[in-house]
Amino acid sequence: MIRRTLLKALFIIPFLAVLLMQHSSLALAKTDNFTDLVEKVAFAIQEDSQWTGPTSGPKSLAGKQIIFIASDLRNDGVSSVAKGMTNAITELDWNLRLLDGNGSKLRQAAAINRALALQPDGIVLGGIDAKYHEQALQKAKALGITVIGWHAVNDLNNHPELGLFTNITTNAEEVGAIAAALAIVDAKEYAKVVIFTDSNYSIAQLKAQSMASTIDQCKRCELLSIEDIPLDNIANELPTTIARLLKQYPRQITHFLVINDLYIDFAIPSLIASGQNQHLLPKSISAGDGSVEAYHRIRNQSFQLATVPEPLFMQGWQIVDEFNRAFNRLPPSGYNAPVHLIVNENVEAIDRNIGVYDPKNSYREAYKRIWK
């Protein structure tokens, strides 16, 4: 059964099929781990067209006021979740307001305090670390305001100790692991990687730890460096960091593993400025969240090999559904979207006009049936 699944997956992923054939003897001689990684990567590349989320729940309540607080609306992931929510509430008699934290913890805290003063029915923490704002969230709980996180903590659970009804995210460890697995497969088990992360966000740290652990399990691979660069300071720090790394590890780095596509946006000018042939420069793999620029690079096979996108619009709809469950005094749905990998072979499935990974699994119809 495993072999049939693998062959079916590889049939639609030519570069992985060739890679497996070229190195099957090496994999079998050493361990089955490489074959397992190839299968996991191939499986992640396939899109599940069947809705596996909730099919039952409460009818929608009317007249709810929701405030979406974005960590930074310049982040495509955060803004796309907000767009998904905006689309979803057209089906309901709700109002949605956006506040922007502009990538700064101080501004995010100010936005949370402003939201609390407005006393809405619900607040969304869009990419904001809930633990850092625990005191404000406890105030929200005391005011009877339902708070839902998107990437606010590391897992998909309710966190009453933080005042969170639930948190929407894909499994950060799985996301990091599949990104690193692709690097290993692409480098034929000789990956030499640099990881970029932001220690201000616990979910980013978890992705980075998972990537590092996966690389560490590959005997012929090497983790050269972990670079901690805040997302709100990428433009200032990344150019000198890239220049230093290329000088420190001349023609050694096979892949950059990053926790967000934004790092690649700002790495490319420095990579071009190095004057090296693009084919000799590191390939980048992003463990989130899928951006228009990332898809363009992947489509053109320019600097970026892959991204692990989240179904951002769908998560916006899920947040609305979770609020409705909370308002009806029901528990969260517990739904967690499967990890998906976008590479050159399947990037055309991304609608160029939308620029967001939007699964064709009829989730909108499923949620509308629940609410009505």
Side-chain angles (χ1 to χ4, degrees):
M1 178 62 74
I2 292 177
R3 182 172 294 276
R4 286 200 299 271
T5 302
L6 176 59
L7 290 176
K8 180 181 178 182
L10 293 179
F11 181 75
I12 62 170
I13 312 298
F15 89 96
L16 286 177
V18 172
L19 183 59
L20 181 60
M21 287 188 290
Q22 288 177 341
H23 298 276
S24 59
S25 59
L26 172 62
L28 292 175
K30 174 191 168 187
T31 173
D32 288 335
N33 185 56
F34 182 68
T35 304
D36 291 342
L37 287 180
V38 171
E39 182 177 7
K40 288 178 181 178
V41 168
F43 184 78
I45 289 171
Q46 296 180 88
E47 181 181 346
D48 188 356
S49 60
Q50 300 297 316
W51 173 242
T52 56
T55 56
S56 63
K59 292 182 179 180
S60 63
L61 299 179
K64 299 301 180 180
Q65 306 289 325
I66 310 295
I67 295 179
F68 185 101
I69 306 173
S71 59
D72 192 338
L73 282 174
R74 294 170 297 181
N75 183 310
D76 282 350
V78 177
S79 63
S80 293
V81 172
K83 289 176 185 175
M85 286 192 67
T86 300
N87 182 249
I89 66 168
T90 60
E91 304 294 327
L92 310 174
D93 182 23
W94 291 13
N95 290 313
L96 178 66
R97 179 172 183 172
L98 302 181
L99 297 178
D100 192 359
N102 292 297
S104 161
K105 284 188 174 181
L106 289 176
R107 294 189 181 97
Q108 290 164 10
I112 293 172
N113 288 330
R114 183 180 177 190
L116 291 175
L118 294 171
Q119 296 192 30
D121 298 289
I123 290 174
V124 182
L125 295 183
I128 295 174
D129 195 324
K131 183 66 177 177
Y132 187 83
H133 301 282
E134 182 176 359
Q135 187 173 355
L137 298 186
Q138 290 298 336
K139 183 178 179 181
K141 185 176 181 179
L143 290 170
I145 300 172
T146 300
V147 181
I148 291 178
W150 179 82
H151 288 204
V153 291
N154 292 337
D155 54 21
L156 183 87
N157 284 306
N158 61 333
H159 285 265
E161 77 283 2
L162 296 177
L164 282 182
F165 174 72
T166 190
N167 179 65
I168 309 301
T169 183
T170 48
N171 187 304
E173 289 182 298
E174 291 181 6
V175 170
I178 200 65
L182 178 59
I184 295 170
V185 170
D186 184 62
K188 308 172 181 62
E189 295 187 285
Y190 285 89
K192 296 182 182 295
V193 309
V194 173
I195 294 173
F196 291 86
T197 189
D198 182 351
S199 60
N200 290 310
Y201 297 94
S202 57
I203 193 168
Q205 290 179 285
L206 191 58
K207 285 182 183 180
Q209 290 165 6
S210 181
M211 289 189 284
S213 176
T214 303
I215 294 298
D216 187 57
Q217 292 172 35
C218 173
K219 294 181 180 179
R220 295 179 175 87
C221 300
E222 186 176 355
L223 175 57
L224 300 174
S225 175
I226 298 178
E227 303 294 329
D228 184 6
I229 300 178
L231 283 162
D232 61 353
N233 203 36
I234 291 177
N236 294 326
E237 292 191 37
L238 208 56
T240 55
T241 301
I242 294 295
R244 170 177 59 78
L245 289 168
L246 294 179
K247 183 177 181 180
Q248 186 175 356
Y249 305 106
R251 297 190 178 182
Q252 294 180 51
I253 307 169
T254 63
H255 296 83
F256 288 147
L257 297 179
V258 304
I259 56 93
N260 191 284
D261 292 303
L262 279 171
Y263 288 92
I264 307 172
D265 294 346
F266 289 95
I268 289 176
S270 298
L271 292 172
I272 294 174
S274 72
Q276 297 183 41
N277 187 302
Q278 181 179 331
H279 298 293
L280 300 176
L281 290 168
K283 301 175 186 178
S284 294
I285 300 173
S286 174
D289 300 308
S291 67
V292 173
E293 292 79 8
Y295 297 135
H296 179 74
R297 290 189 290 262
I298 293 167
R299 188 176 288 112
N300 294 325
Q301 298 182 321
S302 176
F303 294 103
Q304 186 163 357
L305 182 64
T307 188
V308 186
E310 295 198 62
L312 302 167
F313 291 164
M314 188 176 83
Q315 289 176 332
W317 280 69
Q318 183 182 352
I319 290 172
V320 172
D321 183 66
E322 303 293 2
F323 270 126
N324 194 51
R325 292 171 190 272
F327 297 151
N328 280 278
R329 301 184 183 279
L330 292 175
S333 71
Y335 177 59
N336 191 10
V339 171
H340 186 50
L341 188 62
I342 292 292
V343 295
N344 180 260
E345 279 71 18
N346 67 348
V347 71
E348 290 307 324
I350 304 295
D351 188 323
R352 295 180 187 232
N353 295 321
I354 299 175
V356 170
Y357 166 52
D358 197 27
K360 298 176 178 63
N361 58 9
S362 302
Y363 68 86
R364 292 177 176 86
E365 290 74 14
Y367 281 125
K368 285 190 279 188
R369 281 194 296 270
I370 292 173
W371 301 336
K372 294 182 178 179

